């Protein structure tokens, strides 16, 4: 029997007040009242089915994402957390995160979320500039964003702020102002990343007047320098942290750990005792899901795809990638990827040590080119 990796739980809450033009996550704008009670009941039934696949492993961390999970009422979150604890064992110091929207009607619920067991909040601020918020179709103002942060700080010291750069008509001064505003409230974690317009989003077909590549590069370098001087350590391509507050759930992804994914459109990854890895995809149709049709697909990851998927996550981190870890998480011999490693070394995307590999600065800049080497 192989050594099974740690496992986390991801829960998808698909509803939003409004679908943002840049968002490519599965979300649903409901014109009717959200069927919270029915959805929570079926989330827990969905979990019961997947629990049979994890061989009694304890759940390390829980992440409630979306969509906008903070649309749910206090009682729904309480029922969800209590239901999870009845069905799986949690590690003693599990991190339980909820994504939150800084809209005044929602952040007043944060205190009760905390009482239900939530111990980490992730606030999708994106920018503190009210004009830019309108341009990226967010539904709140700078004032509401700040009020939400202040409310979080009253009840919980561990929280993340999401900030984006490269927004339409955004200047370098705007970028640095956003970071200064975020740091003023001393979040333990900052996710700072570039706006991208994916093909399946509304923004993809729009003329958005985005900053030039040269300006994006300046924003990135100036912003990184500012965050570093402010005491934030970059531990992943778009993640900055103070002290010990790395996002444990995301680290599990990047270390190629397992995770159960429950809820509409949720994805999961589960390693079997024979070393095979399966991907689960849940039904995106809310009505079908509420009627008990949870699983849309279950796929076996091929041996060739395992290496690509491992490095797609591991290369994001600013730390060595240990060869032993690669073999344990993929059940693949190093000899099977020797040609790809050789090519990555030749292109100076990575360096090789006796027991590990490390991504070079060039490798981080040209990450997509590096990953293509391992793509089947």
């Amino acid at each position: 029997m192989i050594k099974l990796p740690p496992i986390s739980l991801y829960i998808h809450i698909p509803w939003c007040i409004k679908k943002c033009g840049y968002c490519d996550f599965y979300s649903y704008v409901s014109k009717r009242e959200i069927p919270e009670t029915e959805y929570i009941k079926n989330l827990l039934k969905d979990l019961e089915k997947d629990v049979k696949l994890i061989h009694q492993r304890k759940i390390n961390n829980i992440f409630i994402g979306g969509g906008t999970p903070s649309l749910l009422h206090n009682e729904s979150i309480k029922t969800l957390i209590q239901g999870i604890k009845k069905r799986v064992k949690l590690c003693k110091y599990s991190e339980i995160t909820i994504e939150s929207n800084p809209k005044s009607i929602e952040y007043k619920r944060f205190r009760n979320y905390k009482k239900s067991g939530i111990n980490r909040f992730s606030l999708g601020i994106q920018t503190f500039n009210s004009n830019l918020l309108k341009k990226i179709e967010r539904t709140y103002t700078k004032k509401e964003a700040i009020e939400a942060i202040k409310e979080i700080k009253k009840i919980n010291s561990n929280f993340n702020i999401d900030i984006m750069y490269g927004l339409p008509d955004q200047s370098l001064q705007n970028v640095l102002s956003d970071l200064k505003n975020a740091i003023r409230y001393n979040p333990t974690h900052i996710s700072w990343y570039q706006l991208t317009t994916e093909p399946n989003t509304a923004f993809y077909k729009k003329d958005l007047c985005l900053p030039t590549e040269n300006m994006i590069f300046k924003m990135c370098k100036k912003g990184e320098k500012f965050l570093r001087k402010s005491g934030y350590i970059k531990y992943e391509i778009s993640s900055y942290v103070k002290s010990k507050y790395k996002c444990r759930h995301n680290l599990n992804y990047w270390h190629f750990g397992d995770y159960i994914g429950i809820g509409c459109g949720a994805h999961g990854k589960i390693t079997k005792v024979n070393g095979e890895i399966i991907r689960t995809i849940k039904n995106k149709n809310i009505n079908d899901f509420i009627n008990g049709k949870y699983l849309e697909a279950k796929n076996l990851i091929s041996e060739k795809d395992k290496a690509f998927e491992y490095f797609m996550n591991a290369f994001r981190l600013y730390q060595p990638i240990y060869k032993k870890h690669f073999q344990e998480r993929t059940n693949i011999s190093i000899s099977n990827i020797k040609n790809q490693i050789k090519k990555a070394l030749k292109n100076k995307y990575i360096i090789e040590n006796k027991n590990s590999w490390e991504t070079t600065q060039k490798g981080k800049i040209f990450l997509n080119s590096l990953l293509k080497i391992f793509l089947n």
Side-chain angles (χ1 to χ4, degrees):
M1 184 183 292
I2 69 161
K3 181 181 178 182
L4 293 173
I7 190 161
S8 294
L9 171 62
Y10 174 76
I11 303 161
H12 194 71
I13 309 298
W15 291 281
C16 280
I17 295 173
K18 184 182 184 302
K19 179 80 171 179
C20 296
Y22 60 83
C23 179
D24 67 339
F25 290 104
Y26 174 66
S27 59
Y28 180 75
V29 179
S30 179
K31 296 179 181 178
R32 298 177 294 176
E33 187 177 351
I34 296 172
E36 295 183 37
T37 302
E38 284 298 301
Y39 190 69
I40 297 299
K41 182 174 73 174
N42 282 280
L43 278 176
L44 295 172
K45 287 182 178 179
D46 187 14
L47 175 62
E48 288 171 3
K49 290 181 179 294
D50 281 0
V51 163
K52 297 172 184 177
L53 304 173
I54 69 172
H55 302 283
Q56 298 183 327
R57 277 179 283 174
K58 288 184 179 181
I59 299 295
N60 282 357
N61 307 287
I62 299 172
F63 194 99
I64 307 172
T68 309
S70 55
L71 285 174
L72 297 188
H73 289 90
N74 308 324
E75 196 59 37
S76 294
I77 295 297
K78 182 180 178 181
T79 301
L80 176 62
I81 300 299
Q82 288 179 342
I84 291 167
K85 289 179 177 179
K86 288 178 182 178
R87 290 161 175 82
V88 295
K89 291 182 179 179
L90 300 184
C91 292
K92 187 175 180 180
Y93 299 105
S94 294
E95 184 177 83
I96 306 177
T97 301
I98 189 167
E99 288 185 332
S100 309
N101 190 335
K103 188 73 177 170
S104 56
I105 193 172
E106 297 164 29
Y107 67 72
K108 293 174 184 176
R109 298 174 178 161
F110 293 165
R111 191 174 298 276
N112 286 314
Y113 287 173
K114 169 87 172 180
K115 290 178 182 177
S116 296
I118 303 296
N119 54 27
R120 184 176 183 272
F121 291 82
S122 182
L123 278 167
I125 301 294
Q126 315 313 353
T127 176
F128 290 92
N129 186 305
S130 291
N131 290 328
L132 292 177
L133 283 168
K134 288 180 183 177
K135 289 185 179 182
I136 60 172
E137 302 180 355
R138 300 298 278 180
T139 59
Y140 49 87
T141 63
K142 174 183 178 179
K143 182 181 177 181
E144 287 176 314
I146 291 172
E147 287 298 316
I149 296 171
K150 287 179 178 178
E151 187 71 15
I152 289 290
K153 282 185 68 65
K154 290 177 187 176
I155 61 171
N156 208 69
S157 59
N158 188 12
F159 67 98
N160 168 68
I161 293 179
D162 273 7
I163 300 289
M164 292 197 299
Y165 65 93
L167 305 181
D169 297 312
Q170 189 180 36
S171 67
L172 178 58
Q173 186 177 359
N174 293 150
V175 171
L176 295 177
S177 176
D178 277 342
L179 292 176
K180 286 175 184 176
N181 274 308
I183 289 166
R184 184 175 295 137
Y185 299 101
N186 198 32
T188 50
H189 192 287
I190 295 176
S191 296
W192 185 61
Y193 49 92
Q194 182 188 346
L195 169 69
T196 56
T197 53
E198 301 295 337
N200 59 331
T201 63
F203 277 7
Y204 186 73
K205 297 178 181 179
K206 286 188 176 182
D207 183 8
L208 294 173
C209 199
L210 297 174
T212 64
E213 284 189 4
N214 284 340
M215 179 52 69
I216 291 287
F217 185 75
K218 285 182 182 179
M219 289 174 174
C220 181
K221 290 302 173 186
K222 292 279 188 181
E224 283 185 0
K225 184 178 179 181
F226 180 77
L227 284 164
R228 189 168 59 249
K229 284 187 174 181
S230 302
Y232 287 85
I233 300 166
K234 185 176 186 177
Y235 72 99
E236 185 268 341
I237 282 178
S238 58
S239 299
Y240 301 78
V241 70
K242 276 197 168 182
S243 186
K244 59 184 179 180
Y245 291 99
K246 295 176 182 177
C247 178
R248 295 186 207 165
H249 186 80
N250 286 348
L251 275 177
N252 187 56
Y253 288 151
W254 300 325
H255 286 146
F256 209 52
D258 282 353
Y259 51 96
I260 297 172
I262 61 171
C264 287
H267 288 230
K269 168 189 171 286
I270 301 173
T271 304
K272 297 166 70 175
V273 291
N274 63 0
E276 291 180 343
I277 301 175
I278 58 171
R279 289 276 184 199
T280 59
I281 304 171
K282 299 302 170 64
N283 198 324
K284 287 185 177 181
N285 185 296
I286 290 174
N287 292 327
D288 284 348
F289 188 88
I290 288 176
N291 286 317
K293 298 176 183 177
Y294 309 132
L295 187 66
E296 183 176 303
K298 184 193 290 185
N299 303 312
L300 187 67
I301 302 178
S302 70
E303 291 298 300
K304 290 182 179 178
D305 285 340
K306 277 186 188 179
F308 169 75
E309 292 204 20
Y310 176 90
F311 287 120
M312 181 175 65
N313 290 284
F315 282 147
R316 294 178 65 94
L317 290 168
Y318 282 72
Q319 65 180 53
I321 301 166
Y322 292 99
K323 297 175 183 179
K324 182 181 178 182
H325 187 271
F326 168 80
Q327 292 180 108
E328 285 179 350
R329 293 293 164 92
T330 63
N331 203 29
I332 294 173
S333 170
I334 300 296
S335 62
N336 289 3
I337 58 167
K338 62 181 181 181
N339 291 333
Q340 292 96 319
I341 293 294
K342 186 177 179 180
K343 188 172 181 180
L345 289 166
K346 183 179 179 181
N347 283 283
K348 297 183 179 179
Y349 292 148
I350 64 171
I351 57 174
E352 185 171 29
N353 304 309
K354 182 180 178 181
N355 298 315
S356 65
W357 304 289
E358 290 185 53
T359 317
T360 62
Q361 186 176 9
K362 182 182 178 182
K364 284 285 189 281
I365 293 171
F366 297 102
L367 181 59
N368 286 340
S369 298
L370 168 56
L371 289 174
K372 282 180 182 178
I373 294 173
F374 295 90
L375 186 63
N376 181 21

